[in-house]
Amino acid sequence: MLMRGRTQSKIPRVLNYTHLPRLISLTPDRKILITRKIPGEFSNSNVVHIWVTKLRHPQAVEPTNLHIIEQRVWDLLSTGGAKSVILDAFEYLLLENGLEKTLRFVGKLRDIALLSNADFYVTVGDGVDERVLAMLKRIVE
């Protein structure tokens, strides 16, 4: 079956959060980073941050406002503003939204990336259990 999107690279689509700096530095293309990290923590100018936090800040999105994150990603990808999407806040979104809603959200982000011919990655920590990790990999890869 032929699918839209960039060709499969040798980088896994679901990877440990410790690989995030390497993932960001791999390509010079612009990336969307959905993260709990404060904007500016990465000095790479090719990173567009979507900061997920409950703090009130102009660059912040609350973790329960998944539709706002989706819209920002869609807007950036549809204008050619990025070539990849990296979700680095999976566990936080899982805690705030529950498993089913978070996995549906990840599936939507993946579809948006595919439609925009962009790569999609999810970083996870060691706290994600094997069952959840298996479901996540099935959705993303």
Side-chain angles (χ1 to χ4, degrees), residues 81-138:
K83 296 286 186 193
S84 59
V85 178
I86 304 168
L87 175 60
D88 183 47
F90 178 75
E91 290 93 339
Y92 185 50
L93 295 176
L94 188 62
L95 287 171
E96 293 294 329
N97 297 291
L99 179 62
E100 186 176 329
K101 193 172 182 179
T102 302
L103 290 176
R104 270 197 314 258
F105 171 71
V106 170
K108 285 181 186 178
L109 286 182
R110 178 193 170 271
D111 292 347
I112 291 169
L114 278 174
L115 287 172
S116 302
N117 200 27
D119 290 324
F120 180 64
Y121 304 96
V122 179
T123 62
V124 295
D126 298 330
V128 177
D129 76 22
E130 291 301 318
R131 183 181 70 89
V132 173
L133 188 59
M135 287 189 285
L136 179 62
K137 285 182 178 179
R138 181 152 181 163

Side-chain angles (χ1 to χ4, degrees), residues 44-56:
N44 192 326
S45 63
N46 288 333
V47 176
V48 178
H49 278 83
I50 298 176
W51 185 25
V52 182
T53 182
K54 289 184 177 182
L55 293 176
R56 296 215 180 257

Side-chain angles (χ1 to χ4, degrees), residues 6 8 20 23 31 40 43 57 60-62 64 71 73 85 88 90-92 105 115 122 128 135 141:
R6 298 176 81 176
Q8 289 286 331
L20 180 61
L23 183 61
K31 299 157 206 57
S43 60
H57 189 277
V61 178
E62 290 200 23
T64 54
Q71 188 62 49
V73 169
V85 178
D88 183 47
F90 178 75
E91 290 93 339
Y92 185 50
F105 171 71
L115 287 172
V122 179
V128 177
M135 287 189 285
E141 298 176 350

Side-chain angles (χ1 to χ4, degrees), residues 68-79:
I68 294 173
I69 299 170
E70 285 176 34
Q71 188 62 49
R72 285 192 185 175
V73 169
W74 180 257
D75 291 345
L76 286 164
L77 289 175
S78 63
T79 60

